[in-house]
Each structure stands twice: as structure tokens, then as C-alpha cells.
Amino acid sequence: MRDQIVEAVSTTFLQVVEQLTFMFGEPADKGDIVDVDGEYILAQLSFTGDLCGTLSLAVPNDCVPEIAANILGLEPEEMEANSMAPDSLGEMLNVICGHVIMAIAGKGADFKLGSPAIGPATPAFLADAANDSDWLGFLLEENLVLLGLVTE
Amino acid sequence: MAFNILLVDDSVTVRSVISKALHLAGVDINLLYQAANGQEALEILEAEWIDIVLCDISMPIMDGETLVARMGENGMIKTIPVVIVSSAGSEPRIQRLRDMGVRDYIQKPFTPERIREVVDNVMGVSRHA
């Protein structure tokens, strides 16, 4: 991603996550990203229109219930948050995606969002993402999350 | 006056958050209906008394734009006010939806205060300190 786009994506991601989950984050060092390991959930959302592509978000398994609980205003231990965790992650990606597209293409851009697809991220996928310049890393309250934007 | 409100969003998370926001904001709710897409919403609209619809744009089966268009074709429900709650609200699309009769737009993420402001405005509620 070019510098301006990276800056727009990074700033937008951190702002939306803070507003939505009340969790604070910062861009991760390249060394942190390369060392990514553990079990991750991958959320992906495609978009069409003036800008076409896919936005992907990989989050550590343990962090997903915390994100969901924060969005829903519940404790992470509460069952509802756990059962709704994938849906909440998908919704967070949905909101991030809308804002990222408008940050890149402007508020006048016409676009449609698809439905989020949620599933486990394989170690091979994470390793590829960590070495791909289309992916950014963030430390979200000490959790390393990866955000990937691929445009056509 | 208490309102019958219909929430239309394919995300159960969003429906839960909007429901909480409505309660936190002090919006006077009689009944709160929920639908996961436009088709489910149409079935509720044709069967129940609904005062206001809060609706997402991007949904499977029937999206928000189609729902608004279908409501406009049905004389029984065409006057029910619709507010779009979405993160996919680009300016051209919002203008298109306003031209179709949508009353207002709430961008996600939102605050309870924003929800109340829009519902009060659309439903003609005035609050005095």
C-alpha cells in the first residue's frame, strides 16, 4: 500500500476501533508482525463500486470475545458475548470497511459492502500476511491484530 | 408517546447495540421488533403497527435500499418513516435513499444521543429540560 493509503487506513482503523470497542491501539513494529503466531480468527469482507476489493482482519482467538463484549457492553465471560463474538467481529470489520473506503476514495465514492466471512486463519495464511505489504499490524491493547486491504 | 420500533439488520450484534442505545437514550418504546433482512421486515410491516423503521443498507436476501423501494410501492406502509443506520452511507447513496423517502441517516458507530436526536426529530418529539 502506498504511504498515503497506509496512513489513511491506519488512522481510520484505530479511530473506528476506539469508538466501537473503547479499545486503544497503535501501529505495530514490523518485528512484531513477523513474529505473529497462535490461533487467529480471520474476518473478510468484499466491496464493490467505485473501489473494489477485500478488507481482511485477523484477530487472536482470545481477543475476539473481548472485542464482542466491549461492543455489546458486556463482560467477556458472559456467554452471550462468546456466542455473538463472530458476528461482532464481522460487524466491526463492516464498520471499519465503510470508513476505510471513504477515507481512501472520498465520501462521494459509491460502493456496496458484501457480507463478512468469518473463520480460522491458518498459520500459513498468517505467515504470508505478515510478509505482505498489503497487510498492516496493530497492537490492540497488547494483542497483535493484522489488517489487510487488497484493491482491484 | 411510546413507539413501536422495527430494527432491520442482519447482525444480531447491531440489533442488540441499537436496542441498548434506544433504552439508554430514553426513547419511549412500546414494542421493539427485529428483522434480519428486508424480506423479514416487510412481513412484520404488513402484519404489525410500526411507527418507525431503523434499517441497515447491506443485508442478504433483501437489502435496505430494496426494502425502502418496496415500502414505497405499498400504500399501507409507504408513510412509515425509515432511518438508515449504516457504515456504507456514501454521499451518492444517502442522497438516493433520501430521494426515495428515507428521513435520516445515522452513521455507525453511533452514540445513544445521536439515535435519540434522530428518532425525536423524525417522530416530532420535543424534550424540555
Side-chain angles (χ1 to χ4, degrees):
Chain A
M1 283 184 275
R2 291 171 298 178
D3 289 349
Q4 282 180 321
I5 292 178
V6 168
E7 179 65 28
V9 171
S10 181
T11 302
T12 303
F13 172 79
L14 292 172
Q15 283 177 346
V16 172
V17 169
E18 183 183 328
Q19 289 172 19
L20 204 57
T21 70
F22 308 105
M23 295 172 77
F24 296 93
E26 59 183 347
D29 294 333
K30 194 66 184 172
D32 293 327
I33 301 172
V34 173
D35 289 339
V36 62
D37 62 2
E39 296 187 343
Y40 272 67
I41 296 287
L42 177 66
Q44 294 188 294
L45 182 64
S46 61
F47 48 91
T48 56
D50 292 343
L51 195 65
C52 298
T54 302
L55 188 68
S56 306
L57 179 65
V59 178
N61 280 13
D62 295 346
C63 184
V64 177
E66 185 180 355
I67 288 172
N70 286 348
I71 292 174
L72 292 162
L74 300 170
E75 294 299 323
E77 296 77 18
E78 292 182 68
M79 282 305 293
E80 187 183 1
N82 281 291
S83 62
M84 293 170 70
D87 182 80
S88 297
L89 185 64
E91 178 55 25
M92 185 171 86
L93 182 65
N94 183 294
V95 176
I96 292 167
C97 192
H99 284 263
V100 162
I101 292 170
M102 286 190 280
I104 295 172
K107 292 190 174 181
D110 206 3
F111 61 93
K112 283 190 175 182
L113 302 180
S115 295
I118 315 289
T122 65
F125 184 94
L126 286 175
D128 287 346
N131 291 296
D132 190 329
S133 62
D134 285 333
W135 285 76
L136 302 174
F138 299 92
L139 286 174
L140 200 58
E141 298 190 352
E142 300 181 358
N143 298 289
L144 176 62
V145 301
L146 300 175
L147 182 73
L149 175 65
V150 177
T151 55
E152 295 171 6
Chain B
M1 180 183 172
F3 302 118
N4 288 355
I5 299 176
L6 172 58
L7 307 182
V8 191
D9 199 303
D10 57 323
S11 167
V12 66
T13 298
V14 174
R15 299 201 303 269
S16 175
V17 169
I18 294 177
S19 174
K20 280 188 179 176
L22 286 165
H23 285 99
L24 280 172
V27 174
D28 206 356
I29 301 169
N30 181 36
L31 292 170
L32 193 61
Y33 295 89
Q34 297 191 26
N37 57 64
Q39 185 59 48
E40 285 185 18
L42 276 179
E43 291 167 12
I44 293 172
L45 285 162
E46 288 168 358
E48 308 291 344
W49 180 272
I50 301 295
D51 295 300
I52 182 171
V53 179
L54 303 181
C55 179
D56 190 16
I57 295 175
S58 303
M59 293 179 288
I61 302 175
M62 183 188 290
D63 65 19
E65 209 162 331
T66 307
L67 171 62
V68 172
R70 293 285 295 275
M71 287 177 67
E73 296 165 357
N74 185 331
M76 297 291 288
I77 58 176
K78 66 193 278 186
T79 58
I80 298 172
V82 178
V83 172
I84 295 294
V85 184
S86 178
S87 55
S90 62
E91 286 173 354
R93 177 173 278 182
I94 294 306
Q95 187 54 53
R96 206 159 55 231
L97 285 161
R98 286 188 188 279
D99 292 343
M100 294 166 68
V102 163
R103 298 287 292 275
D104 211 336
Y105 169 63
I106 298 171
Q107 187 175 43
K108 298 174 185 173
F110 50 78
T111 62
E113 292 74 20
R114 173 64 179 151
I115 291 261
R116 185 179 68 187
E117 175 193 347
V118 171
V119 172
D120 283 357
N121 184 47
V122 170
M123 301 309 294
V125 175
S126 61
R127 294 174 188 262
H128 301 287

